[in-house]
Each structure stands twice: as structure tokens, then as C-alpha cells.
Amino acid sequence: MFDTIRQTLKARLPFVIATAGEFFALYYWLLLFDQSSYVMATLVLWAGFLVERVAVLYWVKENFGGSVGIAADHKTWWQKLIGLLLICLSEITVWVAFVFAQHYFGWTAAFLVLFVGEQIEHSIELGLLSQTSWLNFVASRQATVITVLETLGGIAWLYLVRHDQAQLGGMMLLIGLTIEHVIQGDAIKRRLQAKQNQGDNPADTPADAAKQPRLIGTAPVVGGIITVAIAAMLFTVLKPFCFRILSPPPTIDAPVTYLNQNWSAEKRDKFYHASQGTVLMNADWFMALEQPTIKFVGRVGLISDLDYLTRFGFLKHVHSEKNNASDLPVGFAVSDVTMPDDGSKQRVVGLTCAACHTGEIHYADHHLRIDGAAGLIDLEQFQNAVGAAFLLTIKNPLRFNRFADRVLGEDHTTDERAELKESVNRVLQQGLAEKEANASREIYDGYDGGYGRTDALAKIANFVFGTQLDNDNLQIGSAPVRFPPLWDSPWFDWAQYNGSVEQPMVRNIGEAIGVRARVNLDPRSERFLDSTVDIDGLHKIETLLAGDAPLQGLQSPRWPEGVMGAINHTKAAAGAALYRDLCQSCHLPALDTDEIWEDANWVSNAAYSMSWQWKPPSKPARFLNLQGVNIGKVGTDPGQATNFFSRYVNTGKSVLPSVTKGLYKNQQWENKDWYSPVEGANTTEYPATVLSVGEALQRVTVAIAQRHYDRQGWSADTRERYDGYRNPGARTPLEYRPRPLNGIWASPPYLHNGSVRTIYQLLCPPDQRDQTFYVGTRQYDAVHLGYKNEQVPGAFLFDTRVEGNLNTGHAFDALPLGNGVIGPRLSHEERMQILEYMKSMGPAGPVPESFIKSGRKASEPETSVED
């Protein structure tokens, strides 16, 4: 019995040790390498592979004596050591090259490096261990089978690690290495036994001796095809649980520094967590849902864990009993809503505007929080993670049991558990149906926004008129845009990059339903136009941002000289002159100058451009008169403007009357019978209404607001106040509207689609801008003003050659002007002078008395329809 155990251990234990050595070497090397522990990673890598090689050599020596291979007795110790180190070095080189090839060149290059490298490495290894030429193995079935298994395990491992499934990837690697070592041992054993049977004859047989070794044969080619095929099958099976996610950043003991932006900590706290009425899911579910990570060892964390959510770009925020009792990141709000489909009451968690419009830049060991700046969240990958978490919860009984215990308490009944499972499955099926509808039409395929971008207008229209109304209204969203900074924006005459929305309530309701506030669009329902939109919450957020006077709300931050270096005021003065000559005609005078308060830069809400279809609001107000620039003239990516201009939707059975004619007067409908429930629900049909997407969104958002106003019984004065003293204008112009540039240094990247990494590159000709760069890091380049181009694990590769991502236009290049050229080519010194001036730009000062007086008298002259 003991002899049997001894023989088994003698035959198998070395290969168990070898497998363990290689597995731990690779698994922990990558883990340490990603954490920037390069020395420890190197030591672990060498130690693991040395263990693997020593174990295999021990097996050879014990089973075949000391006369074969690099462990032969006649070799000196240093010959054995050199041979051992060379074998280790060859395999380490292949694996390191594999990881770096994927990092810099993609998966195809990584596959070729690993497959070809391992085929050669295994041939050399088999040749050394069996004392035959490695060329005898390079095209052999034995080496190819080993290579296929190791390549499959390696690709699956790296892919899963890079998509937050480290333990599942480790298991795939371990399976591949285990089978590989079993087959490798068998191959070596056959060769050595054959060699012993033949004595010292170096050839296997006379016939074999006559054969010429082949470098390329059928086996490696077939093996490569099999590897690709199996890898593709694995990818298909595992894809729902894999998504791009940032690796946990290195822990830096640096508190968040809030720059002075003209509002208090109390206002900031409200802004971070004020509800807009959006519905991500039931709040209890969100707090109980586990991360979509498959683990075999250790506890699976909750999806609501702060450290996990920050990996999608969300920012941490402190606990607050009043506004953040659940310890959620910036931009998450917990609220009570009435669902418009069935009238049920639910406590839900949803996103608010602070999620997308709060930035943070890291410089040295400083973390600078910028309220209102462009965020760096990846909404698409976060939604994928939530969907995968639901899927795993439903499919895995152990997960669901833990989920039910958290939601219902450990003493819940079987019926309660079954009811909960049915509810979760219903939500999951709705999500899968939406995903399938989108995927079948390929509406977002190839147009990934990545961190800090989304095709907002397309996704709002797709959710409202597609998912919630009719999937035939779904259209491709091929123009992701960066989240714009919010400071000063409540005082712009028209909003959105293309200047398509005038009224803040219309804008904010559209944003809320685009981030999944629910609305009932069935006119046959008693709850027609009921929604979860928090009208009061939207008004509070808008008021916080606007302040009580023009440009006196949330303001842009000043350049933190104590952290990122002093401003060179000589260069800034020269840059100011360049700004006035080259930039001011589009971007307006700097807000910290007296010139901004001149009448020419402001427009009245009674002006034709803001009230051409309606009676002006009763209270006069003035707004910054942003200058629209034709998309052909500025030359930047036209997708956002042209897609919105050309899109139409069929509102079908949802009767939404015009707000530009007929019954809509004085900020409300005179006759409100049109949204009363329609009798004969089973027989009534309505004629199809095809509208431009701008008008369709205008009608539905105004209807939602008016429905709320009417139920509250509000006066015309209150309605006007909530509407920001502006009419619900909507249009689809083929233009982009530049904004003032104060604080723009704090909200990278640049252009409306985020296709230019730094302001310095924006002042260069397009051919001098990065064609591709990575988005995800918050490390700031204080010289060129923008995020650094760092390929941190999980970063998004921004390719400016893709439709919607073009970095053309806004060029300072060879004259003449037009077709994207907006100014002459600048020298390096001139660019640096403009950057210095950008750093010095501050927010607007107090409203001067002269502006107030002129506002009382101001009346804009009528302009033509063409204007």
C-alpha cells in the first residue's frame, strides 16, 4: 500500500507542484504588476517558474535516473543551473510579451505572441528534457496540444481578469495548466522510455533519423484554429458577465479638496443627492444585490459598495443622515415614488445630475473635487454590471438566498421569497428584452461612449419613444458627447451643445426620463402622463445651480496655484490679447471682465429669438446670448447635430398636443380634457403622429410638467417660476453653441464629443492631435491642461477615427478661414500664452448696478425669421 502511494506521488506529485508553481506565478504576478509592485511581481514570477521547472526535473531524475536531460549526472552544477534558468527565462519572456502585446496591440497580437511563443518554448523544453533536437517537436502533435491548452487557459485568464472576473479567470488558467502538464509529462515519458530502449542512439528510429524536422506543419495550424474556435465559444458564454471596469486605483492617503465655487457644503450635499425621480431599481434590492463577480474563495461584495462603484468612475461622498444615509456615491439618490403604470408605491434608488456633472482631478497627492465639471462615469458598463448582477442572482440559488435574506430578513416565508423572485425575474426580463431590442438593431454597437460621455439626446429619445412606447422608434446613437460643465449654464439662452432646448424645466425633465424616470404614455390609462419625475426636485437643483442673480450660482473654480503652480501673469496678459482676437467672437468676453455685462452679450426673454411663438413671460429676465456656429464652419464632428436634425419618431397612440399653437397659451393649456382617460380602451385607435424628435420631446416634457402643475392647482406665476421664466422652445439647428471658457481647464477632455485630450492640442492643427488616447485616469497634465494619456487597467481607448469621435475642426491652421479652420496657425509660445490666460480666467463678479438698470429698459429689436 505504501509502495503504491509512494509510486503515485513519485509519478504525479511533481506535476501537481509544477502546475501550482506556474499558476501562482502568473496569477499573482499580474495582480502585483497591476498594483505597480514591480519588484515583488518579478520575484513572484521567477520563484513560481523555478518551482515548476525544478519539480519537472525532479520527476525526470526520479523516474529515469540521472543520465538524461539537463539534469544529467555528468553535467556540472552550473550547467544545470544555466539550463534551468534558460528554460524559465524563455517561458517568462513569452508570458510577459503576451500580457504586454494585449496591453499595447490588442487580443489578436496577444494570441499570436502566446501561441507561437509557447509552441517554440514547449519544443525547446521537450527537446532539452529528452535530449533530442527541439526541431523534432516544433511541428509535433505533442507540443501543439500542450500549446493549445496553455494558450486557451492564458487567453481566458487574462480576458476575465481584465473584466473583473479574476477568480473565474484563475480557474480557467488552472484547468489549462493542469491538463497541459499531464500531457507534457506523458510526452516526456514516452520520449525518455523510447530513448532508454534504444540505448544511446540519439535518433528515435532509423526512419526517424532520416526525417527532416519541420518548422511548420499541419498540427500547429490546426491547433491555432481550434484555439480560436474554443476561445470564441468561451467568449460567447462568458460575455454577459464581463465588462470594462477600472482596476482599483493605488491607495493614496489624500483627502478630497473642494475648490471655492460660490456655494456651501450644505448646497453641495443637496446637489449630490437631490432626487430627480429617476428609477434605477428598488432601493432595498440595490443595497442587497451582489457584485456580478464569480468567486470560488471569499465573499462576493455588494454592488452598492463604494469601492466597487468608484471603479465605474463614480465619486465617493461622506455619510449624511439627511441626504446620504445609505452611504452612496455622488449622484445617487434614494426617494419614494409612485409608479405610473400601476400606482404602486416604491422606495427606489436612481441617478441624479451630479453623477455626470461632478469632476475630480488628481495632481501629485492632491484630489481636487470640481462641482459641476464633467464627470468620468461609464454609464453603459455600469448598466451592464447591474444586468449581470440580476442574472447571476436569479440563476444562482445560493446568491438568491443571500439576496432574499437581505431584502426580506432571515425570518421571511416561502411565499414572500417566491414573490420576490418573481418580481426580480420580471425586472430582469424587461431589461433583457430592452437589451435584445437594442442589440438586434445595433443602435449602440461600435459607438461606446466610455468614461465621461454618452449620446444623451439619442438615449433620451430611444428610452422615451422606443423602450417605453414603440421599439420601431429605436434609432442608432452614433454621437456620444462629453458631459458639459454646469457652472453658469442656467443663464444660457438655449441649452444642449446644439442649442436645441430653451426652457430649463423641459431640459431637466428630458434629462430625467433619459436616465430612466418612468412615464405613462398610454392615453387609455387612468394614469396617462403620470410619471416618477420629481418636478420639485428638478426646480430645487436648477435654483441651486442658478443662484438668485445672473451668474451668481455655482461658479467655475479658480486655478489652484498652491497645488498646480503659479500663473505666469506676463504670459497670461499676452494670452488675453490673443483670446480677444481669436476666441471672443464665439466664446464671448471673459466672465470676469466688465465687458461681459454689456447689453450685446445678453438677450431678453421677451426677444423674438426666445418668444417668437408665444406671449413673453410676465417677468422680464435676461440670459447670456450664446453664439451658434454652423457645423460646416467649425468643422467638428457633426453627428450630434445632424442626428438630432434628421430624426423623427412616431408617437402612435400617445396624443400629445402641440405647444406652439392651438390650446397652449399663457404657459398652460386652456382646455385640459385632452389628457383625461379615454373611454373604450379596447376599441379606441388613434392616428399615427410623426414628429421631429425635437418637437416630440417638447410635447411630452411640457405635458408631464403641466400635468403636475394642474394637479397642484398652481397659478400662472408659480408655473412661470418653475419654468425659469422661459417659454418651452425646441428646435433642431445644424450648429454648435460655444460657451464661455472660465474654468474650462477643470473639465477635460475637449470639443463637444471629448475627442481632444488637452487644451494645448485643441490649439493645434488636427493632424497634431492624438489619434487615439486612453480615458479613465484622473491624473492631470498641468502643463497642457487635460487628463494624462495613461493606459490604466480598464481604461477606454478613444479612437478619433470612429464615426461620432472625430477630432477634426476648431483648427488653428493655414488660412483661409472656413471648413473647420477658425484661426491662423499658432506658435508653441502663443499656445502657451493662451493656456496661461485660460488658467487665469475667473468666474463672474457681482452683478453691476448698470446691468440691472439697463435690464429694466432693455428691449431687443425684432429680427427676421431667417435670423
Side-chain angles (χ1 to χ4, degrees):
M1 176 180 174
F2 290 107
D3 287 341
T4 303
I5 295 174
R6 181 177 177 278
Q7 290 300 322
T8 302
L9 290 176
K10 180 180 177 182
R12 302 299 180 194
L13 184 59
F15 279 96
V16 173
I17 295 173
T19 301
E22 186 172 6
F23 169 74
F24 282 107
L26 292 172
Y27 188 87
Y28 287 101
W29 164 70
L30 187 61
L31 181 67
L32 292 166
F33 187 85
D34 285 346
Q35 295 174 352
S36 302
S37 299
Y38 303 122
V39 174
M40 185 59 70
T42 303
L43 291 175
V44 167
L45 192 64
W46 273 98
F49 277 109
L50 283 170
V51 167
E52 180 207 13
R53 294 298 101 209
V54 169
V56 172
L57 291 177
Y58 172 81
W59 175 80
V60 171
K61 188 175 182 66
E62 285 294 306
N63 288 274
F64 300 97
S67 59
V68 295
I70 63 172
D73 290 337
H74 67 272
K75 293 188 176 181
T76 64
W77 67 268
W78 59 267
Q79 288 178 317
K80 296 177 183 178
L81 180 61
I82 290 175
L84 179 65
L85 292 176
L86 285 175
I87 292 178
C88 290
L89 180 62
S90 66
E91 188 149 19
I92 287 173
T93 300
V94 171
W95 280 103
V96 172
F98 163 62
V99 172
F100 276 83
Q102 188 280 321
H103 188 74
Y104 290 108
F105 304 108
W107 288 102
T108 301
F111 162 74
L112 291 173
V113 166
L114 187 60
F115 187 85
V116 174
E118 285 296 322
Q119 184 76 0
I120 295 172
E121 189 275 328
H122 288 141
S123 302
I124 294 173
E125 182 179 31
L126 289 171
L128 286 172
L129 290 173
S130 58
Q131 282 193 319
T132 57
S133 171
W134 70 276
L135 295 176
N136 290 326
F137 292 95
V138 75
S140 69
R141 287 191 299 273
Q142 298 103 313
T144 300
V145 171
I146 296 170
T147 299
V148 166
L149 290 166
E150 193 156 10
T151 302
L152 276 174
I155 289 176
W157 161 65
L158 187 59
Y159 180 83
L160 289 165
V161 168
R162 290 291 178 245
H163 292 83
D164 203 43
Q165 297 290 359
Q167 288 197 11
L168 182 60
M171 184 190 74
M172 302 296 290
L173 177 65
L174 185 60
I175 291 172
L177 294 178
T178 300
I179 302 176
E180 176 230 342
H181 279 118
V182 169
I183 296 175
Q184 184 184 45
D186 182 67
I188 296 171
K189 182 177 180 179
R190 288 170 181 252
R191 286 280 176 171
L192 292 178
Q193 285 177 339
K195 201 164 195 57
Q196 286 181 337
N197 294 335
Q198 297 167 24
D200 293 330
N201 187 354
D204 294 330
T205 66
D208 288 338
K211 291 182 180 179
Q212 293 296 320
R214 292 181 300 164
L215 290 178
I216 300 177
T218 306
V221 175
V222 174
I225 295 172
I226 293 173
T227 303
V228 172
I230 297 176
M233 291 169 51
L234 286 172
F235 171 77
T236 302
V237 172
L238 297 173
K239 186 179 179 181
F241 309 108
C242 298
F243 32 84
R244 185 183 63 253
I245 182 172
L246 292 169
S247 292
T251 301
I252 300 176
D253 187 17
V256 172
T257 300
Y258 296 91
L259 301 184
N260 181 10
Q261 294 185 254
N262 195 43
W263 64 352
S264 64
E266 181 182 3
K267 289 182 178 180
R268 177 185 298 116
D269 201 41
K270 289 179 180 178
F271 172 66
Y272 282 178
H273 302 289
S275 171
Q276 294 178 283
T278 64
V279 179
L280 179 61
M281 71 176 77
N282 180 289
D284 290 336
W285 295 8
F286 186 71
M287 301 307 295
L289 198 63
E290 293 180 356
Q291 297 166 15
T293 305
I294 300 172
K295 283 191 173 183
F296 307 100
V297 179
R299 181 184 68 88
V300 178
L302 298 177
I303 204 168
S304 57
D305 287 348
L306 275 174
D307 287 336
Y308 182 72
L309 292 174
T310 57
R311 297 174 63 191
F312 296 100
F314 294 106
L315 295 170
K316 292 183 180 181
H317 190 223
V318 297
H319 176 87
S320 166
E321 284 298 327
K322 185 176 181 181
N323 296 305
N324 191 25
S326 299
D327 293 321
L328 294 173
V330 171
F332 282 76
V334 176
S335 61
D336 296 306
V337 301
T338 300
M339 301 303 289
D341 54 346
D342 59 8
S344 62
K345 307 286 186 181
Q346 287 194 32
R347 189 164 182 78
V348 301
V349 63
L351 296 179
T352 187
C353 60
C356 301
H357 300 283
T358 304
E360 187 171 289
I361 60 179
H362 296 172
Y363 184 79
D365 58 351
H366 297 276
H367 293 181
L368 306 177
R369 181 70 55 85
I370 317 292
D371 292 329
L376 270 185
I377 65 171
D378 192 326
L379 286 171
E380 182 177 347
Q381 299 303 319
F382 174 62
Q383 290 173 341
N384 288 341
V386 170
F390 268 118
L391 188 60
L392 284 173
T393 300
I394 283 293
K395 299 298 183 182
N396 186 329
L398 296 177
R399 276 197 184 225
F400 184 79
N401 289 342
R402 296 194 296 268
F403 173 79
D405 288 341
R406 296 187 189 105
V407 173
L408 303 172
E410 295 184 0
D411 57 348
H412 61 271
T413 65
T414 303
D415 290 342
E416 289 173 330
R417 179 190 294 264
E419 184 180 352
L420 175 63
K421 189 166 189 176
E422 183 180 350
S423 298
V424 172
N425 192 54
R426 183 166 56 250
V427 171
L428 174 62
Q429 294 307 316
Q430 291 171 351
L432 291 175
E434 179 183 349
K435 191 175 182 70
E436 174 58 30
N438 293 345
S440 65
R441 293 165 174 79
E442 300 180 341
I443 63 173
Y444 301 123
D445 289 4
Y447 305 110
D448 190 352
Y451 298 99
R453 297 197 312 158
T454 189
D455 193 338
L457 293 177
K459 290 195 172 184
I460 290 171
N462 280 338
F463 184 67
V464 177
F465 302 112
T467 302
Q468 295 198 98
L469 189 63
D470 185 348
N471 282 337
D472 287 340
N473 283 323
L474 294 171
Q475 292 191 26
I476 288 175
S478 59
V481 296
R482 64 185 272 265
F483 305 133
L486 293 186
W487 49 79
D488 308 317
S489 60
W491 296 99
F492 297 168
D493 55 350
W494 288 77
Q496 302 291 7
Y497 283 112
N498 62 346
S500 56
V501 181
E502 177 184 352
Q503 187 188 95
M505 185 55 73
V506 166
R507 162 172 44 88
N508 291 330
I509 292 176
E511 188 266 338
I513 55 181
V515 193
R516 301 188 171 267
R518 304 296 197 267
V519 58
N520 187 327
L521 293 176
D522 184 358
R524 295 172 292 187
S525 168
E526 293 182 353
R527 300 183 179 87
F528 179 43
L529 288 178
D530 281 2
S531 75
T532 63
V533 175
D534 189 337
I535 300 293
D536 292 315
L538 293 179
H539 178 63
K540 289 175 182 176
I541 293 173
E542 187 72 19
T543 302
L544 278 174
L545 294 171
D548 55 6
L551 308 179
Q552 303 304 299
L554 175 67
Q555 294 187 330
S556 59
R558 293 187 180 276
W559 178 263
E561 293 188 80
V563 174
M564 293 198 291
I567 296 171
N568 184 321
H569 292 284
T570 302
K571 283 189 175 182
L578 289 168
Y579 176 86
R580 284 191 293 272
D581 291 342
L582 302 175
C583 312
Q584 184 166 306
S585 61
C586 289
H587 290 282
L588 300 185
L591 263 61
D592 57 356
T593 64
D594 294 337
E595 191 178 352
I596 192 61
W597 300 106
E598 294 177 0
D599 289 343
N601 300 314
W602 297 82
V603 61
S604 166
N605 61 353
Y608 182 84
S609 63
M610 298 189 74
S611 293
W612 78 100
Q613 294 171 309
W614 302 276
K615 177 182 176 181
S618 62
K619 179 181 176 180
R622 290 199 290 173
F623 303 93
L624 272 177
N625 187 16
L626 301 190
Q627 304 300 303
V629 181
N630 180 271
I631 57 175
K633 179 181 178 180
V634 72
T636 54
D637 192 296
Q640 198 255 7
T642 56
N643 288 1
F644 198 68
F645 173 82
S646 61
R647 184 171 186 177
Y648 285 80
V649 296
N650 187 336
T651 61
K653 299 175 182 179
S654 289
V655 182
L656 300 169
S658 171
V659 298
T660 61
K661 56 187 176 181
L663 301 176
Y664 188 80
K665 296 177 180 178
N666 300 324
Q667 305 295 307
Q668 58 185 305
W669 281 282
E670 294 182 346
N671 182 344
K672 303 176 180 61
D673 290 341
W674 67 269
Y675 57 50
S676 298
V678 177
E679 296 180 359
N682 295 325
T683 59
T684 303
E685 293 295 334
Y686 301 92
T689 303
V690 177
L691 302 170
S692 71
V693 70
E695 184 175 357
L697 285 170
Q698 176 195 51
R699 290 190 184 193
V700 73
T701 53
V702 169
I704 289 171
Q706 292 299 323
R707 182 68 156 159
H708 179 80
Y709 297 167
D710 290 339
R711 284 185 167 171
Q712 304 303 314
W714 284 349
S715 65
D717 289 343
T718 303
R719 294 168 189 255
E720 282 193 333
R721 179 163 55 83
Y722 268 60
D723 289 340
Y725 299 103
R726 275 168 277 188
N727 282 300
R731 59 188 189 180
T732 56
L734 291 173
E735 65 181 29
Y736 293 127
R737 293 172 71 80
R739 61 175 291 136
L741 296 179
N742 52 302
I744 200 65
W745 60 267
S747 195
Y750 300 102
L751 291 184
H752 70 279
N753 61 351
S755 60
V756 181
R757 186 172 59 84
T758 67
I759 298 179
Y760 183 88
Q761 290 190 8
L762 193 58
L763 300 175
C764 295
D767 60 1
Q768 296 180 23
R769 300 167 182 171
D770 290 339
Q771 190 175 69
T772 61
F773 58 94
Y774 286 92
V775 183
T777 182
R778 297 184 186 277
Q779 294 298 319
Y780 191 75
D781 178 352
V783 175
H784 301 100
L785 306 189
Y787 289 124
K788 292 183 177 181
N789 184 10
E790 293 185 348
Q791 191 182 356
V792 297
F796 170 69
L797 179 62
F798 195 117
D799 189 341
T800 62
R801 296 165 295 185
V802 174
E803 178 187 0
N805 290 357
L806 302 184
N807 66 356
T808 54
H810 197 279
F812 293 91
D813 205 346
L815 298 175
L817 300 178
N819 296 319
V821 178
I822 63 171
R825 183 172 294 223
L826 302 171
S827 68
H828 168 74
E829 183 62 24
E830 287 173 322
R831 293 169 192 154
M832 297 307 295
Q833 289 169 353
I834 293 175
L835 294 192
E836 213 65 21
Y837 179 58
M838 296 282 185
K839 289 155 58 174
S840 73
M841 281 182 167
V847 181
E849 184 63 27
S850 59
F851 177 82
I852 299 172
K853 289 180 178 179
S854 66
R856 298 190 185 116
K857 303 174 184 177
S859 60
E860 184 185 56
E862 292 292 321
T863 56
S864 66
V865 173
E866 287 76 19
D867 290 341

